[in-house]
Amino acid sequence: MTTPAFPEARLDRIARLHVLAAALPGSMVLETVIDAPFDRVWTWLADLERSVPAFECDVDALRVVRRRPRPEGGERLRIRTRSSARFLWLPVVFDVDLAPGWCWMVSRPQLYLVGMAAEPDGDRTRFAQLEGFGTSGPPAVQALLRPLLGLSRWRHRRHVPRDVANITRLAEDLP
């Protein structure tokens, strides 16, 4: 008697971001197609010190302060950002998981999340970005945070499309 094979589900990097967005009530993910090849787009995006201040209007500067290789490829980084936002003048530190087509940034302490994912699509690139608050805790804490999460979703409905439009414009203009 043979054992029946179980179905196997595989998610591409963009689908992973959508799953994370569904699990994080204070976040938003937006997907687009960039009219430029994956290698060119991802090489630019992965240069976080150059790309993030160029497309993210809330970041004046980003500096990598620690870099370690990941066993499965890519790098684990610690970055420090300097904000241009009037309401957020403190530097923010993020732990970053960076691999081809994948970037997951978690602030320290774990309050804010940013994710970027890309997949080749012929001569173009499918791209998605997630931003939001990562909250956890008992139900009472979640209930207290619900208004903040609603405000976060409202802000990200305006902020994430602007970032994605900037990324698209800048990536399509790369040499």
Side-chain angles (χ1 to χ4, degrees):
M1 181 185 323
T2 62
T3 305
F6 288 98
E8 186 176 312
R10 294 188 186 270
L11 298 176
D12 70 15
R13 294 173 287 248
I14 292 173
R16 285 171 51 196
L17 273 189
H18 284 284
V19 169
L20 288 165
L24 297 164
S27 70
M28 179 191 170
V29 67
L30 183 64
E31 183 176 344
T32 192
V33 176
I34 299 172
D35 194 19
F38 172 84
D39 290 335
R40 185 169 24 150
V41 171
W42 195 256
T43 298
W44 175 70
L45 280 171
D47 182 359
L48 299 176
E49 290 178 317
R50 189 177 115 203
S51 66
V52 172
F55 73 76
E56 172 58 66
C57 63
D58 289 341
V59 175
D60 271 343
L62 183 150
R63 187 170 56 102
V64 175
V65 296
R66 187 176 71 206
R67 193 181 293 270
R68 292 193 176 140
R70 291 176 40 186
E72 61 276 7
E75 298 178 295
R76 295 206 191 281
L77 310 173
R78 171 125 340 122
I79 63 171
R80 176 164 299 186
T81 64
R82 188 178 69 234
S83 176
S84 60
R86 285 173 265 154
F87 61 88
L88 183 63
W89 50 269
L90 295 172
V92 180
V93 174
F94 287 87
D95 289 324
V96 180
D97 181 28
L98 183 63
W102 180 256
C103 180
W104 184 248
M105 299 186 248
V106 179
S107 70
R108 295 173 56 96
Q110 183 180 336
L111 295 174
Y112 201 72
L113 309 164
V114 178
M116 296 186 291
E119 293 287 341
D121 186 19
D123 290 340
R124 302 178 333 156
T125 303
R126 286 180 49 231
F127 173 78
Q129 181 176 338
L130 173 148
E131 286 195 43
F133 287 94
T135 59
S136 60
V141 171
Q142 295 296 318
L144 289 171
L145 293 174
R146 202 165 289 130
L148 176 65
L149 298 178
L151 183 61
S152 172
R153 282 189 301 278
W154 173 82
R155 180 187 186 274
H156 289 101
R157 278 191 209 105
R158 301 177 70 185
H159 179 83
V160 173
R162 184 177 59 224
D163 284 354
V164 170
N166 287 341
I167 289 167
T168 301
R169 178 181 50 78
L170 292 164
E172 289 178 352
D173 289 343
L174 291 170

